[in-house]
C-alpha cells in the first residue's frame, strides 16, 4: 500500500470519527450551558478569580475632566439680566482608584474602600489651573445665607450687615485650583472665630484628593451570579436617611464598576452614586463596538431625574413641605447631603432637563454626544469597556428676606461646573477580553466545527479514493486483434498470410 493510499484511508477514517464525535457531543453535552456555568463561577469577587485583581486595581486609566462656567456679566445679572456664561476647560486629572482594606466578610460578601487620587495631566488640559481665573457664584456666602433663612429677622439683618462690612458679594473670582481643591474663605474664617465648628476652607473637591466615599460591602456573586458587584451596605447601612420615602433611600445596584455577566437588552441596571446621594438606573440604548469588543450601551433615561409629578418614583427626592416648590425635570436638590448648601445637580448643560433651565442661562446648550452619561458593557462578561459619568454642579439662587444682595434673585439654577469622569478599556485588557470571547464563542460551536471538518475530510477522502480507483482501472492495457497487410511477394510465397498482435491504445 502506497503512502498516498494511506493518506486517503486516513482522511476517510478521520472524517468518520469526527462526525461520530460531533454527533456524540451534541447529543451528550450542552456546551453552551457548561460554558455559561464556568463563566458565572469565574466572574466572582473571590481570591483567584479572573476578575478579582482587576476589580481591586483597575488597569484602564480613568480621567476626570472639569469644565467651569465663567460669568461675564456679574453686575448685569444682579441688575436683572440673564447670566452670560462661557465654558472653560477641560482641566484633566488622571484618577487612581484602587480598592483598599479589602476584607471577605462572609455570606458571599466583601468589603472595601475606594481611595481616589487625582494627578493633573497638562497635555490633556486647556489651561493652567494654578493661574486661570474663574468668576462664579460666591458659594460660601450663598450657603451662609441659606443656612440662616429660617432664623429670626434681626439675626439675618445683623449677619447681612456683617457681610456688607466685609464687602461680601454674590460672585467671587478664584483660580481653578482654588475652586477645586480649596481656599481659605474670609467670611467662613470670621464665622469660625465665633463658631469653631465652621470649616473656614471651601472647595468643590475639598478633601477629595486621597479620600474615599466610605466603606462599601459588595456581594461577591458566588452564591448568585446576578448579585456580582451589587452593593450590600454603604457606611454600614442598607438604607439611607436623607430622603422622604423608603424607595428614595434604597441603595440599589452596583457602584458602576462591576456588573453581572450575560446582560440582556431588557434589563434595568441600577447604579448607586455617593456624589448624588441616591441610586439611579440605566436602560439599553444601542449596540456599540469598542476596540473590536461588542458592547451594549446603557444610559439614564429622562425619567431618572424627572420631577415627582412626572415620575412618582421620584416623589421622595423633594423635601419641600409645599410640593409646589419642588423642582422641575432634570435637576436634583442635594442640599440634604451637602451640609445645607443649596447644591443642585443635573446633567451637563441641563441635558434632559426642563427647557426653562436652559432658557434662563445664556451660554448653555445641551448636546447628546457631549453631555450624556453612559456605560458600554460587554454583555457576555458584564465588563465595562467604556464609560462616561457626567454631572453638573449648580447653585440655587433665591431671594432671602433680610439679605439685600438677594432682592432681585428669582430662584435661578446657576451652573458652576460640570465634570466628565471617563474610562476606556486599555489595549492589553481588550486583547485578553477578545481572546476570552473567542473561546466562549468557539466552545459551544465545537461540535458543529467537528461535524463540518469531519464532513470535509470524508468528502475529500472519498473523492481521492474514487479518483485513484478510476486511474488504476484505466492504467490496465486493453488488447485487440487486427489483420496485418500482406507482406511482399517473397514473404507471401513462403509463409502466406499471418495474423499479428498489436497493442491498441485506449482513446
Amino acid at each position: 500500500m502506497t503512502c498516498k493510499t494511506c493518506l486517503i484511508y486516513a482522511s476517510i477514517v478521520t472524517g468518520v470519527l469526527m462526525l461520530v464525535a460531533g454527533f456524540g457531543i451534541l447529543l451528550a453535552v450542552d456546551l453552551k450551558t457548561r460554558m455559561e456555568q464556568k463563566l458565572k463561577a469565574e466572574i466572582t469577587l473571590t481570591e483567584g478569580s479572573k476578575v478579582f485583581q482587576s476589580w481591586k486595581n483597575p488597569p484602564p486609566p480613568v480621567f476626570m475632566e472639569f469644565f467651569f462656567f465663567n460669568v461675564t456679566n456679574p453686575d448685569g445679572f444682579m441688575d436683572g439680566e440673564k447670566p452670560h456664561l462661557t465654558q472653560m476647560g477641560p482641566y484633566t486629572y488622571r484618577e487612581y482608584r484602587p480598592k483598599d482594606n479589602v476584607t471577605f466578610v462572609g455570606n458571599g460578601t466583601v468589603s472595601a474602600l475606594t481611595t481616589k487620587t487625582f494627578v493633573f495631566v497638562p497635555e490633556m488640559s486647556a489651561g493652567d489651573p494654578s493661574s486661570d481665573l474663574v468668576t462664579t457664584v460666591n458659594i460660601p456666602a450663598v450657603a451662609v445665607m441659606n443656612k440662616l433663612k429660617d432664623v429670626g429677622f434681626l439675626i439675618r439683618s445683623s449677619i447681612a450687615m456683617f457681610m456688607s462690612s466685609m464687602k461680601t458679594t454674590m460672585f467671587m473670582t478664584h483660580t481653578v485650583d482654588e475652586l477645586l481643591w480649596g481656599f481659605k474663605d474670609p467670611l467662613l474664617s470670621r464665622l469660625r472665630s465665633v463658631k469653631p465648628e465652621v470649616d473656614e476652607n471651601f472647595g468643590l473637591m475639598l478633601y477629595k484628593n486621597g479620600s474615599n466615599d466610605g466603606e462599601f460591602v459588595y456581594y461577591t456573586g458566588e452564591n448568585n451570579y446576578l448579585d456580582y458587584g451589587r452593593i450590600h451596605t454603604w457606611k454600614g447601612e442598607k438604607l439611607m436617611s436623607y430622603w422622604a420615602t423608603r424607595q428614595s433611600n434604597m441603595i440599589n445596584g452596583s457602584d458602576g464598576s462591576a456588573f453581572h455577566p450575560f446582560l440582556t437588552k431588557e434589563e434595568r441596571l441600577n447604579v448607586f452614586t455617593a456624589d448624588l446621594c441616591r441610586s439611579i438606573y440605566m436602560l439599553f440604548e444601542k449596540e456599540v463596538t469598542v476596540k473590536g469588543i461588542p458592547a451594549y450601551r446603557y444610559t439614564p433615561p429622562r425619567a431618572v431625574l424627572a420631577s415627582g409629578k412626572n415620575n412618582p418614583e421620584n416623589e421622595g427626592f423633594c423635601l419641600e413641605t409645599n410640593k409646589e416648590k419642588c423642582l422641575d425635570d432634570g435637576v436634583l436638590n442635594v442640599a440634604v447631603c451637602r451640609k445645607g448648601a443649596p447644591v443642585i445637580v443635573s446633567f451637563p448643560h441641563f441635558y434632559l432637563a426642563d427647557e426653562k433651565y436652559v432658557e434662563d442661562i445664556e451660554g448653555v446648550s445641551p448636546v447628546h454626544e457631549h453631555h450624556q452619561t453612559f456605560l458600554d458593557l460587554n454583555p457576555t462578561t458584564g465588563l465595562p469597556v467604556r464609560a462616561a459619568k457626567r454631572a453638573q454642579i449648580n447653585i440655587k439662587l433665591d431671594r432671602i428676606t433680610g439679605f439685600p444682595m438677594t432682592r432681585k434673585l428669582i430662584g435661578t439654577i446657576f451652573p458652576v461646573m460640570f465634570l466628565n469622569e471617563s474610562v476606556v478599556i486599555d489595549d492589553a485588557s481588550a486583547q485578553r477580553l477578545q481572546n476570552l470571547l473567542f473561546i466562549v464563542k468557539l466552545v459551544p460551536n465545537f461540535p458543529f466545527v467537528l461535524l463540518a471538518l469531519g464532513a470535509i475530510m470524508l468528502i475529500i477522502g472519498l473523492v481521492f479514493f474514487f479518483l485513484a480507483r478510476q486511474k488504476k482501472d484505466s492504467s490496465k492495457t486493453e488488447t485487440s486483434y487486427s489483420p496485418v497487410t500482406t507482406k511482399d511477394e517473397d514473404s507471401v510465397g513462403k509463409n502466406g498470410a499471418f495474423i499479428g498482435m498489436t497493442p491498441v491504445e485506449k482513446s
Side-chain angles (χ1 to χ4, degrees), residues 148-149 153 156-157 399-404 406:
L148 298 172
K149 65 181 179 180
F153 179 77
R156 276 178 281 152
S157 298
R399 181 185 297 120
I400 302 176
T401 306
F403 293 96
T406 68

Side-chain angles (χ1 to χ4, degrees), residues 80-99:
E81 296 178 3
K82 275 188 182 181
H84 298 174
L85 308 183
T86 57
Q87 182 175 297
M88 298 174 59
Y91 299 92
T92 306
Y93 294 77
R94 171 77 185 270
E95 183 179 346
Y96 297 87
R97 44 191 309 162
K99 298 282 193 305

Side-chain angles (χ1 to χ4, degrees), residues 133-145:
L133 294 173
V134 180
T135 298
T136 188
V137 174
N138 189 339
I139 301 176
V142 174
V144 169
M145 291 187 288

Side-chain angles (χ1 to χ4, degrees), residues 318-373:
C318 177
L319 302 179
E320 298 284 355
T321 53
N322 180 4
K323 295 304 179 183
E324 294 297 320
K325 294 183 178 180
C326 291
L327 298 174
D328 287 306
D329 292 353
V331 295
L332 175 69
N333 189 334
V334 294
V336 67
C337 58
R338 291 291 184 274
K339 299 180 180 179
V343 177
I344 309 294
V345 294
S346 66
F347 292 121
H349 286 248
F350 298 116
Y351 173 70
L352 297 183
D354 191 292
E355 190 63 28
K356 72 177 184 181
Y357 297 122
V358 178
E359 294 173 351
D360 286 346
I361 309 292
E362 188 170 313
V364 299
S365 179
V367 178
H368 176 83
E369 292 78 11
H370 298 153
H371 304 138
Q372 177 195 46
T373 290

Side-chain angles (χ1 to χ4, degrees), residues 99-358:
K99 298 282 193 305
D100 297 324
N101 295 349
V102 177
T103 306
F104 291 97
V105 182
N107 298 322
T109 59
V110 57
S111 66
L113 298 171
T114 302
T115 302
K116 299 178 183 180
T117 305
F118 300 89
V119 178
F120 182 61
V121 185
E123 61 271 21
M124 296 178 67
S125 302
D128 184 353
S130 65
S131 60
D132 288 0
L133 294 173
V134 180
T135 298
T136 188
V137 174
N138 189 339
I139 301 176
V142 174
V144 169
M145 291 187 288
N146 197 70
K147 194 81 171 176
L148 298 172
K149 65 181 179 180
D150 295 324
V151 302
F153 179 77
L154 290 177
I155 296 177
R156 276 178 281 152
S157 298
S158 61
I159 296 295
M161 292 175 62
F162 172 71
M163 293 172 66
S164 178
S165 69
M166 292 187 62
K167 295 182 170 49
T168 302
T169 60
M170 188 60 69
F171 291 92
M172 61 182 182
T173 299
H174 288 279
T175 66
V176 170
D177 263 346
E178 290 172 333
L179 289 175
L180 281 176
W181 310 113
F183 62 93
K184 190 173 293 186
D185 181 74
L187 174 61
L188 296 178
S189 294
R190 292 289 295 272
L191 290 175
R192 181 180 173 83
S193 63
V194 180
K195 300 187 70 175
E197 65 271 21
V198 173
D199 190 341
E200 62 184 342
N201 297 302
F202 170 80
L204 295 168
M205 295 288 290
L206 185 66
Y207 309 132
K208 291 285 188 181
N209 203 347
S211 69
N212 60 74
D213 292 323
E215 184 188 62
F216 284 87
V217 176
Y218 307 89
Y219 287 101
T220 62
E222 54 190 318
N223 296 330
N224 184 344
Y225 82 98
L226 293 173
D227 285 336
Y228 168 73
R230 186 165 67 85
I231 298 169
H232 176 54
T233 61
W234 176 49
K235 295 183 178 180
E237 301 293 337
K238 292 184 178 181
L239 281 173
M240 296 176 289
S241 57
Y242 296 127
W243 309 109
T245 64
R246 175 181 173 84
Q247 182 176 14
S248 300
N249 281 312
M250 291 177 67
I251 301 171
N252 297 323
S254 75
D255 62 357
S257 64
F259 296 88
H260 68 78
F262 304 108
L263 296 165
T264 68
K265 296 179 180 179
E266 294 72 34
E267 285 192 68
R268 170 171 158 160
L269 296 185
N270 293 306
V271 178
F272 174 76
T273 169
D275 295 330
L276 297 180
C277 309
R278 62 162 289 186
S279 300
I280 65 171
Y281 67 90
M282 299 188 178
L283 300 178
F284 172 81
E285 181 187 36
K286 62 181 179 180
E287 294 185 22
V288 296
T289 302
V290 181
K291 295 188 177 180
I293 300 169
Y296 290 170
R297 173 163 292 185
Y298 295 88
T299 63
R302 184 179 295 271
V304 164
L305 290 183
S307 63
K309 64 183 179 184
N310 291 327
N311 181 6
E313 290 185 11
N314 290 340
E315 287 182 348
F317 293 117
C318 177
L319 302 179
E320 298 284 355
T321 53
N322 180 4
K323 295 304 179 183
E324 294 297 320
K325 294 183 178 180
C326 291
L327 298 174
D328 287 306
D329 292 353
V331 295
L332 175 69
N333 189 334
V334 294
V336 67
C337 58
R338 291 291 184 274
K339 299 180 180 179
V343 177
I344 309 294
V345 294
S346 66
F347 292 121
H349 286 248
F350 298 116
Y351 173 70
L352 297 183
D354 191 292
E355 190 63 28
K356 72 177 184 181
Y357 297 122
V358 178

